[in-house]
Amino acid sequence: MKIIIGNDHASPDMKKELVKYLEGLGHEVVNFGVDTSESCNYPEIGEKVGRAVAAGEADCGVLICGTGVGISLAANKVKGVRAAVCSETTTARFVKQHNNANIIAFGSRIVGIETAKDIVKAYLEAEFEGGRHQTRVDMIHAIEDRQ
Ligand code: RB5
C-alpha cells in the first residue's frame, strides 16, 4: 500500500520508527511530517495529509501528534476524510471494518512504539465490511454536503 504519514514536533522519533516498520512490511511510505522536535503547528500537517488522502494520492494516512487528537481534528475538516484516533488494536480494527477510516491517528504521548506498530498493523490488515456500514459512512459525508 501507499501510505502518507504526518506528525508534529511531539512525534518525530515515533514517526521515523513507524516508517522503518511499514517499509519493512513492504509498504511505500511518504513523509509529510516534521523530522525534528522544533515546534510546529499540527493543523497544517493534518490538513496536508487529509487533502492528499482525500484526493486519492495514497491508500490511507497515518497521523501522529502528542495525543492524536489535534492532528486528526484538523484532517477531519477536509471533505472526504475519516480520521480515527486509536489507542489500542480493537478500535483500530473496527474503524476500518465499520467506519472505513482512511486515516488512523494516535498520540506519541499516549501509546508506546510497540503499541503504535500494533495499531497500524491491525488497521492495515482489517477490511471494510460495506453493506449497512457503507450506508452509515455515506450518512457521515452527507453531513458535509449539508454544511
Ligand atoms: C503539541 O504540544 C501538542 O499540543 C500536539 O502534539 C497535540 O497533542 C495536539 O492535539
Side-chain angles (χ1 to χ4, degrees):
M1 279 190 211
K2 182 173 177 182
I3 301 166
I4 298 177
I5 197 163
N7 64 286
D8 73 354
H9 56 276
S11 26
D13 294 342
M14 177 173 277
K15 187 272 301 293
K16 287 171 195 168
E17 275 292 303
L18 281 172
V19 169
K20 274 193 271 174
Y21 174 69
L22 290 168
E23 287 177 343
L25 292 177
H27 300 291
E28 178 188 355
V29 187
V30 182
N31 177 22
F32 280 16
V34 298
D35 294 321
T36 73
S37 52
E38 188 181 335
S39 185
C40 67
N41 298 310
Y42 61 79
E44 294 174 346
I45 295 150
E47 179 182 1
K48 197 174 167 195
V49 173
R51 285 187 184 277
V53 170
E57 291 173 26
D59 296 293
C60 62
V62 174
L63 287 174
I64 322 165
C65 66
T67 59
V69 174
I71 202 162
S72 61
L73 287 175
N76 275 318
K77 294 298 179 189
V78 177
K79 190 172 178 175
V81 167
R82 296 176 302 283
V85 184
C86 300
S87 296
E88 34 70 35
T89 55
T90 305
T91 308
R93 180 164 47 86
F94 275 115
V95 300
K96 175 69 78 57
Q97 290 175 334
H98 287 194
N99 315 116
N100 202 16
N102 48 14
I103 296 179
I104 188 117
F106 39 85
S108 59
R109 294 172 181 161
I110 308 298
V111 301
I113 182 63
E114 295 306 323
T115 301
K117 288 178 189 172
D118 289 346
I119 287 169
V120 176
K121 189 162 187 283
Y123 165 76
L124 292 174
E125 287 179 353
E127 288 189 17
F128 181 48
E129 292 176 0
R132 67 186 187 281
H133 302 297
Q134 183 64 62
T135 304
R136 293 162 186 163
V137 168
D138 291 343
M139 289 172 74
I140 292 171
H141 291 295
I143 298 169
E144 295 171 338
D145 296 333
R146 290 197 297 273
Q147 278 293 100

